[in-house]
């Protein structure tokens, strides 16, 4: 995207040990960085080193993208926004009933962003009750959503009135033969089914949903769009996502 838009910018990967985070953020400030992404294990702990948070990052309590605005470093979260942008090419979640499988970082980002976009009802299905309940509480208390937790201890049957079903677990990542435990026969052709897993792109979860006649959204769109939104925050330019998608496919050997 930088090359395509003639931007004289660089995106550099750096490994920062846990106990060097404060120094790394101070270094980014000192060296005039326009921002940076951060990944595990820094998504939560970076917050104490920043000057403020965007709305969804504040609700989630997690940051994956830091943006210099004026002389301040502001924490944003572009994972959920990237997912929403990708999903919105197929369906607008406003007023919809949604099932999210998973309650980790990706699930939290996706659920909060869709909550801010005005969904009607959300069901969190997760293996561990503590994480699932925590996310459902957060959605109820901070976003005042109709949210419930269901223990994922077997094949989950998707309620008939569901509009959107999302796999936000890590099941299927680098495992073409694995899919989350779901009663796939309960999927109806009018449901939109999305996966956050991006490798393989065409997951078994999505294949099973397609076999039921559902429209599907893969995790590659989320990955491209979270990056595109970050570039937009940093540079002010809306990058061409087709170019980014092409580069990503090339990098993944697709
Ligand atoms: P976390 O480790 O925070 O959460 C993992 C989730 O998967 C938890 O809900 C966990 O349940 C569940 N899970 C994992 N293994 C199993 C299993 N065997 N059976 C049942 N449940 C399981 O990971 P993240 O949320 O950070 O990432 C999840 C996925 O999202 C990854 O595949 C990641 O690559 C993808 N991702 C994609 C992005 C994109 O741009 N496309 C961006 C960010 C993430 P439990 O709580 O019970 O452990």
């Amino acid at each position: 995207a930088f090359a395509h838009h003639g931007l004289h910018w660089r995106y550099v990967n750096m490994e920062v040990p846990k106990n060097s985070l404060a120094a790394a953020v101070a270094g980014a400030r000192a060296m005039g960085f326009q921002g940076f992404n951060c990944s595990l294990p820094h998504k939560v702990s970076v917050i104490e080193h920043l000057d403020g948070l965007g709305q969804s990052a504040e609700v989630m309590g997690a940051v994956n993208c830091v943006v210099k605005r004026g002389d301040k470093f502001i924490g944003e979260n572009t994972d959920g926004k990237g997912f929403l942008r990708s999903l919105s090419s197929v369906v607008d979640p406003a007023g919809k009933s949604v099932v999210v499988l998973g309650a980790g970082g990706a699930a939290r980002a996706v659920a909060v962003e869709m909550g801010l976009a005005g969904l009607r009802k959300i069901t969190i299905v997760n293996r561990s009750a503590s994480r699932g309940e925590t996310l459902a509480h957060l959605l109820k208390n901070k976003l005042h959503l109709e949210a419930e937790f269901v223990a994922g201890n077997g094949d989950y049957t998707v309620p008939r009135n569901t509009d959107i079903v999302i796999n936000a677990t890590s099941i299927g990542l680098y495992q073409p033969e694995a899919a989350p435990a779901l009663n796939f026969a309960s999927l109806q052709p009018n449901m939109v089914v999305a996966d956050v897993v991006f490798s393989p792109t065409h997951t078994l979860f999505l294949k099973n949903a397609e076999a039921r006649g559902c429209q599907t959204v893969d995790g590659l769109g989320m990955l491209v769009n979270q990056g595109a939104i970050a570039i937009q925050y940093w540079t002010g330019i809306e990058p061409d996502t087709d170019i980014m998608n092409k580069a990503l496919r090339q990098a993944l050997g697709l």
Side-chain angles (χ1 to χ4, degrees), residues 235-248:
T235 68
I237 284 174
E238 192 166 339
D240 182 336
T241 45
D242 287 343
I243 294 288
M244 295 177 71
N245 193 23
K246 220 165 132 187
L248 179 61

Side-chain angles (χ1 to χ4, degrees), residues 71-182:
D71 60 352
K72 301 208 180 326
F73 266 0
I74 306 297
E76 295 280 359
N77 199 307
T78 64
D79 279 336
K81 292 183 201 296
F83 175 82
L84 194 61
R85 206 184 258 190
S86 178
L87 182 79
S88 298
S89 62
V90 173
V91 63
D92 176 359
K96 300 292 193 298
S97 181
V98 179
V99 168
V100 174
L101 309 177
R108 180 177 284 238
V110 161
V112 165
E113 212 62 62
M114 290 208 304
L116 290 171
L119 59 79
R120 184 172 60 76
K121 185 186 174 197
I122 185 162
T123 303
I124 304 294
V125 183
N126 197 50
R127 176 181 60 181
S128 109
S130 60
R131 265 174 130 183
E133 275 162 1
T134 301
L135 179 52
H137 277 135
L138 180 144
L139 297 168
K140 267 191 259 187
N141 297 339
K142 290 203 177 169
L143 298 182
H144 311 292
L145 295 177
E146 187 184 340
E148 63 168 358
F149 164 68
V150 174
N153 45 17
D155 282 2
Y156 175 72
T157 293
V158 178
R160 263 198 110 83
N161 60 355
T162 303
D163 301 295
I164 304 168
V165 183
I166 302 154
N167 174 35
T169 72
S170 45
I171 301 170
L173 183 67
Y174 308 127
Q175 300 169 295
E177 309 302 326
L182 192 78

Side-chain angles (χ1 to χ4, degrees), residues 219-238:
L220 220 52
M222 174 182 181
L223 190 55
V224 166
N225 280 300
Q226 61 79 26
I229 293 164
I231 290 180
Q232 199 177 344
Y233 279 152
W234 295 324
T235 68
I237 284 174
E238 192 166 339

